[in-house]
Amino acid sequence: MSKAFTKEDSPADPGEAPPAAALPAGVKNYLTPAGYARLQAELRQLLETERPQIVETVHWAAKNGDRSENGDYLYGKKRLREIDRRVRFLTKRLEIAQVVDPSLHHGNDQIFFGATVRYEDDEGQEHTITIVGVDEADSLQQRISWIAPVARALLKARTGDEVTLRTPAGVQHLLVLEVSYPAPA
């Protein structure tokens, strides 16, 4: 089949990064101020630095003749589609973002968005997580989305409370040991 009859927005290769998680219907896109700034910085970097460089490379490669065998041209066009897709995604996410400053709860022992929570599970293992927005979640940094099951179970609990977490493996009980928020700037 000719490349002319394939959809451009379909994944071209299996190594392409999966799309970011979609927000459930009717859910607000909460972000911390730092998370909002990171998304804005990424958007600005794509629009002001990376995209113009790729456009220049594609323009130069297009002048070199046969485009069907020109690696710079083919890779550049593919990268431009990826950048444009990410720019559209970031623009939409920033438009619906609701910035919530967790430092407003500094000194509070109740769990809200932005809280860093230390809790103990049924096996006696301690875990420390920070509840952040969907676009800020990073399991390697113990930053979980506020719509994650653990976060949903912990929200509105206080230090010393025991909450129930229902999982496919069964019911777990979590004991809240400590709740903290960043200090106000």
Side-chain angles (χ1 to χ4, degrees), residues 3-4 6-13 16-17 46 50-51 54-55 58 67 71-90:
K3 192 148 178 87
T6 60
K7 282 180 78 173
E8 279 193 10
D9 59 348
S10 65
D13 70 67
E16 188 172 310
L46 286 172
E50 194 167 344
R51 192 173 194 291
I54 299 295
V55 166
V58 168
R67 295 176 184 176
D72 287 330
Y73 179 80
L74 295 174
Y75 172 77
K77 291 295 280 187
K78 179 181 178 201
R79 184 66 186 129
L80 274 177
R81 286 191 301 272
E82 293 168 357
I83 290 171
D84 290 344
R85 188 176 305 122
R86 184 68 179 166
V87 164
R88 281 191 304 276
F89 173 80
L90 290 171

Side-chain angles (χ1 to χ4, degrees), residues 44 46 52 58 65 76 88 94-95 108 117 130 154 156 159 181:
R44 195 171 27 261
L46 286 172
V58 168
R88 281 191 304 276
L94 288 169
E95 284 174 357
N108 195 341
V117 182
T130 301
L154 290 169
K156 297 192 180 173
T159 302
Y181 293 93

Side-chain angles (χ1 to χ4, degrees), residues 49-122:
T49 306
E50 194 167 344
R51 192 173 194 291
Q53 290 173 350
I54 299 295
V55 166
E56 187 176 316
T57 302
V58 168
H59 178 70
W60 168 81
K63 292 190 298 186
N64 288 338
D66 186 9
R67 295 176 184 176
S68 66
E69 295 179 7
N70 187 329
D72 287 330
Y73 179 80
L74 295 174
Y75 172 77
K77 291 295 280 187
K78 179 181 178 201
R79 184 66 186 129
L80 274 177
R81 286 191 301 272
E82 293 168 357
I83 290 171
D84 290 344
R85 188 176 305 122
R86 184 68 179 166
V87 164
R88 281 191 304 276
F89 173 80
L90 290 171
T91 302
K92 287 178 184 175
R93 282 306 239 268
L94 288 169
E95 284 174 357
I96 63 169
Q98 186 167 349
V99 179
V100 178
D101 187 2
S103 67
L104 298 175
H105 297 289
H106 183 71
N108 195 341
D109 73 339
Q110 191 171 13
I111 300 171
F112 296 110
F113 180 84
T116 298
V117 182
R118 190 168 59 87
Y119 67 91
E120 184 178 288
D121 61 19
D122 285 338

Side-chain angles (χ1 to χ4, degrees), residues 147-179:
I147 62 173
V150 173
R152 301 286 282 203
L154 290 169
L155 283 172
K156 297 192 180 173
R158 294 182 180 276
T159 302
D161 286 355
E162 186 173 299
V163 298
T164 303
L165 172 63
R166 299 187 193 292
T167 67
V171 175
Q172 286 189 15
H173 299 283
L174 310 176
L175 176 64
V176 179
L177 302 173
E178 181 182 2
V179 178

